[in-house]
Amino acid sequence: MEELAEELLHKINNLCISYHYFKQTDVAEQGVGLSAGIQQFASVLMEGNIFGMEEREQAAFQNYVLQVLKDYTQAAVQRDAVLMVDTLDYGLRELLNIFADPKDGESRDA
């Protein structure tokens, strides 16, 4: 799971850099290309209570995962670059950071 999280984070970083710094506008299409990995990652999070949370916390966590997936799907269907970048950068990244291992002093918030 850690390997998948780190791979997706790397791809999201590249996509967001392309959008913010190089003004590429095809990021919605690039984001759609991540769908298989995102689906695999999200399915693990939705399998059950993998973190041993209380029932209310687990429900809130799963609702967050579902909201991120809903936003991702909406961005993909509408080919909305801004929503795609926001969803990947501020929604999915939070979930991926649970599993990703920061390297060489990188912050998990980066």
Side-chain angles (χ1 to χ4, degrees):
M1 189 65 165
E2 292 84 7
E3 186 176 314
L4 176 59
E6 289 177 13
E7 176 185 333
L8 284 171
L9 273 174
H10 177 72
K11 290 178 180 180
I12 288 171
N13 288 340
N14 289 338
L15 189 144
C16 291
I17 288 169
S18 295
Y19 179 74
H20 290 297
Y21 295 103
F22 301 117
K23 308 300 182 202
Q24 290 186 350
T25 57
D26 66 340
V27 293
E29 290 78 13
Q30 292 178 41
V32 170
L34 303 176
S35 64
I38 292 171
Q39 182 179 12
Q40 180 182 357
F41 182 78
S43 68
V44 171
L45 297 178
M46 297 301 289
E47 279 180 1
N49 193 349
I50 61 174
F51 299 113
M53 293 186 255
E54 292 184 19
E55 193 172 318
R56 185 180 303 188
E57 292 172 322
Q58 178 64 21
F61 178 73
Q62 287 184 329
N63 283 337
Y64 181 76
V65 173
L66 289 173
Q67 184 61 51
V68 169
L69 293 174
K70 179 181 173 187
D71 292 345
Y72 172 78
T73 303
Q74 182 179 359
V77 168
Q78 296 177 358
R79 295 295 197 241
D80 185 331
V82 174
L83 182 57
M84 181 63 76
V85 168
D86 284 349
T87 300
L88 296 176
D89 205 14
Y90 301 108
L92 187 60
R93 183 184 305 276
E94 293 298 318
L95 297 171
L96 294 168
N97 280 336
I98 295 169
F99 295 95
D101 183 29
K103 296 176 183 164
D104 302 321
E106 290 179 11
S107 170
R108 284 187 172 227
D109 297 330

